[in-house]
Amino acid sequence: MPAFSVPNSCLFRFAVVLCFAALGLAGDPYVFYDLTVSYLTASPLGVKQKVIGVNGQFPGPILNVTTNWNVVANVKNDLDEPLLITWNGIQHRKNSWQDGVSGTNCPIPAGWNWTYQFQVKDQIGSFFYFPSLGFQRAAGGYGGITINNRDIIPLPFGFPDGDITLFISDWYIKSHKEMREDLENGVGLGSPDGVLFNGLGPYRYDNGLIPDGIPYSIVTVDPGKTYRLRVHNVGTSTSLNFRIQNHNLLLVETEGSYTVQQNYTSMDIHVGQSYSFLVTMDQNASSDYYIVASPRFVNSSDWTKAVGVAVLHYTNSQGPVAGPLPDLPNENDKFFSMSQAKSVRWNVSASAARPNPQGSFKYGDITVTDVYVILNRPAELIDGKWHTTLNGISYLAPTTPLKLAEQFNVPGVFKLDFPNRLMDRPAKVDTSVINGSYKAFVEIIFQNNDTTVQSYHLDGYAFFVVGMDYGLWTENSRSTYNKWDGVARCTTQVFPGAWTAILVFLDNAGIWNLRAQNLDSWYLGQEVYISVVNPEITDKNELSLPDNTIYCGALSPLQKDQAQRVNFSKGTPQFPRTVQTAVIAIVAAIIQTLMTR
């Protein structure tokens, strides 16, 4: 009989501790999240409705990580339909397998879980996650991602006294399923029923407009202190003007880039965009103050009620906020918002995720190798169904994701023939992909022929916003480009009847989603994928197929029933095999020693 016995549960806990110890020696830290996506009942505008929450919260929790950390997120789908979570702005270096969009991943079936693992490699800043399928973001399912600097990289401003995340969004009482059905039948979204702050309705600033009893968001602050406010427009389709009564917004960062620090009284934040402001609480505390998010680029009286209002509350405030809301700036001046957008510039002297200055990447000196002029059009009938298009093509999502089809050489799933300009032919529905050359430097011009502001996002990259103007883009438009300090970000707005030009260096191998962030445009077909293949295929250039891959479409026979996974209380780790092997060997040896003593 051994000198002492160890209960199996203790052995297991001891093994887990050893696993974490071994992983800590293997490189950058790991952080684990369990995220359960499910329906909740809420009344953000005073009417009970079904929303999508994460871990019982609406909005979902904030993932707070640091540059180069490895994130392991075990996502459980408790909805009644398939789910994918995309990590808006996370670049997934060499790892488009974790992107969470239909072109790279099979959906997580209802009742299943899937574990994402990715590294926030060489990134800092403010981002968010959300469900990417079936118009689900219109019902919620989103949460924040904050990537902090490593200790050795200083902030280009004084360390703030607090960090506050605000989600602003247009909101409809209709369910996301009803909204997508309307779009399929040619019925537009119309004006929203309201605008939310962190999932809550407006403060009752006007008794005639706002019903009594609607819960609203309160941001509590200490006088004299400076806070970093991370503001994300996670809405469906509406550009929103963000402002705080009597307070300046010092812009310091947008989507992973530190900006030239400038004061604004308000900022137009378009769908899918994220900004960081420093706000100093330097006003008297005779009363609270309004925080407002108002729709932009609308001209209907139906939008009057669609104003989001939260309350800024000083801890020594002497009374509630009252009176009219602060005015929407330059409401009828279409050039105001564009001029403001052009004023957002890269801080080329600040270090970001690395010690070198952001501006050390001299994008203006690089020769452009490919040019795409991408034209969007409003919804139109194609073969009797409503579709939106980019360069006359409405994207058709295949049953076998593009990335899996490429991996297994499945024929006929997609074609590398997306045109670099609008072709003289009827619009069509097709699975057409951009053939991107590895390490090409690509110029993309978005030309907006719609009547509303459109936002476009590219997964896997930060691109440089170098120009925008009203009218049609021409070759001569390049003379207006900012080739020195155009901001690097992942989402840009394109104003109605205008163009926006970006430059992007295709150094991240994979298949990457280029999409409209406006859900109505995206749902009806405004997306395309860019295939970037590194000719030297190794694990150093692109990570291999994950062990936990879900299979669908032509590859469905490869799928087995979902395996039972050991839950380490904070997600399901999917570590590199070399690390797994070493850890298993160490743990097995120690347990064997304990069992035989």
Side-chain angles (χ1 to χ4, degrees):
M1 183 176 179
F4 66 92
S5 61
V6 182
N8 288 340
S9 60
C10 292
L11 283 174
F12 178 74
R13 293 190 186 106
F14 183 52
V16 170
V17 171
L18 289 173
C19 283
F20 283 116
L23 289 167
L25 297 174
D28 295 308
Y30 280 74
V31 60
F32 303 90
Y33 293 97
D34 276 321
L35 303 175
T36 298
V37 182
S38 63
Y39 292 117
L40 307 173
T41 299
S43 306
L45 296 177
V47 177
K48 281 189 177 181
Q49 61 182 123
K50 189 183 289 186
V51 305
I52 296 176
V54 182
N55 291 356
Q57 304 174 39
F58 170 64
I62 295 170
L63 312 188
N64 198 314
V65 299
T66 297
T67 301
N68 291 347
W69 282 14
N70 296 281
V71 178
V72 181
N74 183 34
V75 175
K76 173 70 182 300
N77 179 11
D78 274 353
L79 303 180
D80 57 358
E81 57 186 7
L83 170 74
L84 283 173
I85 295 291
T86 192
W87 317 91
N88 202 67
I90 303 304
Q91 292 181 16
H92 302 295
R93 301 300 297 178
K94 305 178 295 184
N95 196 11
S96 62
W97 297 111
Q98 308 296 323
D99 199 17
V101 287
S102 66
T104 55
N105 300 94
C106 292
I108 306 169
W112 281 42
N113 71 294
W114 197 72
T115 302
Y116 294 86
Q117 181 181 318
F118 54 87
Q119 186 178 26
V120 290
K121 181 69 174 173
D122 293 330
Q123 283 192 270
I124 56 93
S126 309
F127 310 96
F128 62 94
Y129 60 88
F130 66 90
S132 65
L133 299 180
F135 224 77
Q136 290 166 351
R137 193 180 78 211
Y142 48 77
I145 305 172
T146 296
I147 307 180
N148 305 291
N149 284 31
R150 291 178 292 163
D151 291 339
I152 62 171
I153 307 297
L155 290 171
F157 46 82
F159 198 84
D161 297 299
D163 200 298
I164 298 167
T165 296
L166 294 175
F167 301 103
I168 56 176
S169 60
D170 56 357
W171 190 257
Y172 295 81
I173 293 175
K174 277 186 178 181
S175 74
H176 70 284
K177 295 179 182 179
E178 292 173 306
M179 293 166 70
R180 69 193 187 200
E181 186 176 339
D182 282 348
L183 290 173
E184 291 166 1
N185 292 327
V187 179
L189 296 176
S191 60
D193 296 299
V195 169
L196 306 188
F197 267 95
N198 285 356
L200 298 175
Y203 172 79
R204 199 180 190 198
Y205 68 95
D206 185 324
N207 292 347
L209 282 177
I210 311 299
D212 191 17
I214 292 179
Y216 56 89
S217 182
I218 301 174
V219 177
T220 301
V221 295
D222 291 323
K225 291 188 176 180
T226 297
Y227 294 81
R228 182 172 180 172
L229 269 62
R230 303 175 191 263
V231 187
H232 308 276
N233 185 339
V234 294
T236 300
S237 64
T238 305
S239 299
L240 296 170
N241 178 267
F242 175 80
R243 56 200 186 277
I244 302 177
Q245 184 181 27
N246 293 358
H247 289 73
N248 283 322
L249 308 172
L250 180 65
L251 178 64
V252 294
E253 178 258 335
T254 179
E255 296 164 19
S257 288
Y258 290 123
T259 63
V260 172
Q261 294 174 24
Q262 302 178 77
N263 275 307
Y264 296 85
T265 56
S266 71
M267 176 64 73
D268 286 349
I269 304 179
H270 304 277
V271 179
Q273 291 186 331
S274 302
Y275 287 93
S276 277
F277 307 99
L278 294 183
V279 182
T280 300
M281 306 306 158
D282 55 5
Q283 299 299 299
N284 67 59
S286 58
S287 69
D288 294 337
Y289 294 90
Y290 291 120
I291 310 176
V292 185
S294 300
R296 272 296 217 184
F297 292 89
V298 295
N299 53 16
S300 168
S301 58
D302 293 341
W303 292 76
T304 305
K305 63 184 178 181
V307 177
V309 184
V311 170
L312 183 71
H313 172 71
Y314 282 45
T315 52
N316 63 340
S317 175
Q318 298 173 28
V321 63
L325 299 179
D327 291 335
L328 186 66
N330 302 79
E331 190 169 359
N332 299 313
D333 180 2
K334 72 174 187 177
F335 291 97
F336 171 84
S337 189
M338 182 177 284
S339 297
Q340 185 185 72
K342 290 179 178 180
S343 74
V344 177
R345 295 179 293 127
W346 214 25
N347 184 343
V348 297
S349 63
S351 298
R354 296 179 177 180
N356 52 300
Q358 291 182 144
S360 61
F361 188 84
K362 309 285 187 186
Y363 70 88
D365 296 335
I366 302 174
T367 301
V368 170
T369 52
D370 293 298
V371 179
Y372 282 82
V373 181
I374 297 181
L375 174 73
N376 79 299
R377 291 198 298 228
E380 56 189 300
L381 283 171
I382 303 176
D383 298 330
K385 295 184 178 180
W386 289 96
H387 294 276
T388 55
T389 60
L390 296 174
N391 282 0
I393 299 176
S394 183
Y395 180 75
L396 175 65
T399 56
T400 307
L402 311 175
K403 185 64 181 167
L404 277 175
E406 178 189 73
Q407 174 77 19
F408 288 90
N409 296 313
V410 180
V413 173
F414 65 92
K415 292 170 284 185
L416 292 169
D417 64 351
F418 188 84
N420 61 4
R421 280 172 172 75
L422 179 67
M423 306 293 285
D424 184 17
R425 64 189 183 191
K428 64 177 181 177
V429 180
D430 202 359
T431 309
S432 181
V433 174
I434 293 175
N435 188 4
S437 300
Y438 183 63
K439 292 194 174 180
F441 197 58
V442 181
E443 178 183 15
I444 300 175
I445 299 97
F446 298 103
Q447 182 76 53
N448 183 6
N449 278 17
D450 207 336
T451 57
T452 58
V453 180
Q454 298 290 318
S455 295
Y456 291 96
H457 174 90
L458 176 59
D459 284 349
Y461 293 94
F463 51 69
F464 299 95
V465 182
V466 295
M468 60 181 67
D469 203 353
Y470 285 102
L472 292 175
W473 181 88
T474 68
E475 301 285 336
N476 293 330
S477 300
R478 292 194 179 101
S479 65
T480 67
Y481 283 6
N482 177 354
K483 292 193 173 182
W484 169 244
D485 61 356
V487 71
R489 62 187 312 169
C490 56
T491 304
T492 188
Q493 70 273 45
V494 192
F495 295 98
W499 57 267
T500 295
I502 66 172
L503 297 174
V504 58
F505 182 50
L506 298 182
D507 65 338
N508 192 12
I511 291 183
W512 302 105
N513 188 223
L514 176 63
R515 61 174 176 268
Q517 290 282 55
N518 303 51
L519 290 186
D520 48 350
S521 300
W522 184 9
Y523 183 73
L524 290 179
Q526 275 193 10
E527 66 177 314
V528 65
Y529 285 81
I530 303 177
S531 175
V532 183
V533 177
N534 187 334
E536 299 177 5
I537 301 176
T538 70
D539 283 349
K540 291 183 179 179
N541 298 325
E542 187 173 7
L543 297 183
S544 56
L545 180 77
D547 292 337
N548 64 341
T549 295
I550 296 175
Y551 296 97
C552 54
L555 299 171
S556 294
L558 298 178
Q559 182 62 49
K560 299 177 182 179
D561 290 339
Q562 183 160 43
Q564 296 297 315
R565 295 180 171 90
V566 174
N567 190 326
F568 281 10
S569 80
K570 286 293 183 182
T572 305
Q574 302 288 328
F575 302 119
R577 290 181 179 177
T578 54
V579 178
Q580 286 180 343
T581 302
V583 170
I584 290 170
I586 293 169
V587 172
I590 293 175
I591 291 178
Q592 179 66 27
T593 300
L594 289 171
M595 293 292 290
T596 56
R597 287 182 63 179

